[in-house]
Amino acid sequence: DAGVIQSPRHEVTEMGQEVTLRCKPISGHNSLFWYRQTMMRGLELLIYFNNNVPIDDSGMPEDRFSAKMPNASFSTLKIQPSEPRDSAVYFCASSLGPAGVGEQFFGPGTRLTVL
Amino acid sequence: SQQGEEDPQALSIQEGENATMNCSYKTSINNLQWYRQNSGRGLVHLILIRSNEREKHSGRLRVTLDTSKKSSSLLITASRAADTASYFCATASAGGYQKVTFGTGTKLQVIP
């Protein structure tokens, strides 16, 4: 298996632009997580899907952030409009079972820079 | 908010020495996991210890869990330069939804 795939790996955009990050989880995994990592705040859970249904979106910063999982093999995280404080590394992770039951497999991350 | 706090924040040792990292957390857990992150990469799972376990081994890794003190430690024995990375603990909360919360991480440097 190729592991969790994220695209793009790097994104540089200007303030106010829409940004879409993409994730393909490991085939057969039922749970998908989006995280944001910054030096100041560490690794934060943004949203958790189980069987394509959002279970916990309490970490989504504000209405500018939205996430979808239209099917078991694809998820997107959208920021509209983007702001400089959104600059961070965004990770997608998947796991075989529900959150907390077993290990999570992380993608390589998308490094987002908002100018 | 962070559930786990790691100590120390940074650690520098010579190759061959042992490295010990500690994690403290605040609420009841179902399990605690340790992950490694190499610079510029995603996190990689190392080991999981359940709340009813006290110690677990995997190769050169030894993890202990003390639920009465709400703390865990990760010991890496006979460290190698390739062990240079950041190490995070992650707690899965007790209850129906086992929310996973990552700690602040320990940055380990192993000097060849």
Side-chain angles (χ1 to χ4, degrees), chain B residues 11-56:
Chain B
L11 180 61
S12 184
I13 60 174
Q14 296 288 330
E15 202 166 30
E17 294 180 339
N18 295 343
T20 299
M21 288 157 267
N22 303 296
C23 169
S24 59
Y25 57 93
K26 296 173 185 171
T27 60
S28 296
I29 62 170
N30 258 347
N31 65 66
L32 186 145
Q33 303 175 40
W34 285 90
Y35 286 79
R36 183 188 73 222
Q37 183 180 32
N38 289 87
S39 182
R41 302 279 188 98
L43 281 72
V44 174
H45 183 265
L46 295 175
I47 196 165
L48 180 153
I49 186 165
R50 303 189 194 288
S51 60
N52 61 354
E53 296 176 312
R54 292 295 166 259
E55 189 171 311
K56 206 159 182 181

Side-chain angles (χ1 to χ4, degrees), chain B residues 74-93:
Chain B
L74 171 67
L75 168 68
I76 304 174
T77 60
S79 63
R80 305 166 182 169
D83 294 328
T84 295
S86 291
Y87 291 81
F88 295 85
C89 67
T91 53
S93 59

Side-chain angles (χ1 to χ4, degrees), chain A residues 42-111:
Chain A
L43 193 66
E44 304 172 277
L45 175 68
L46 299 177
I47 189 166
Y48 155 52
F49 291 91
N50 183 250
N51 291 324
N52 312 338
V53 175
I55 302 300
D56 181 3
D57 65 355
S58 60
M60 295 287 266
E62 49 202 86
D63 291 345
R64 297 186 299 107
F65 284 69
S66 63
K68 293 182 180 179
M69 191 162 185
N71 56 61
S73 58
F74 184 65
S75 177
T76 60
L77 178 68
K78 187 176 292 187
I79 308 172
Q80 166 64 17
S82 57
E83 296 182 4
R85 60 189 167 127
D86 301 329
S87 297
V89 181
Y90 291 80
F91 288 102
C92 176
S94 69
S95 66
L96 189 59
V101 172
E103 65 179 292
Q104 295 183 23
F105 294 80
F106 280 74
T110 295
R111 183 173 294 275

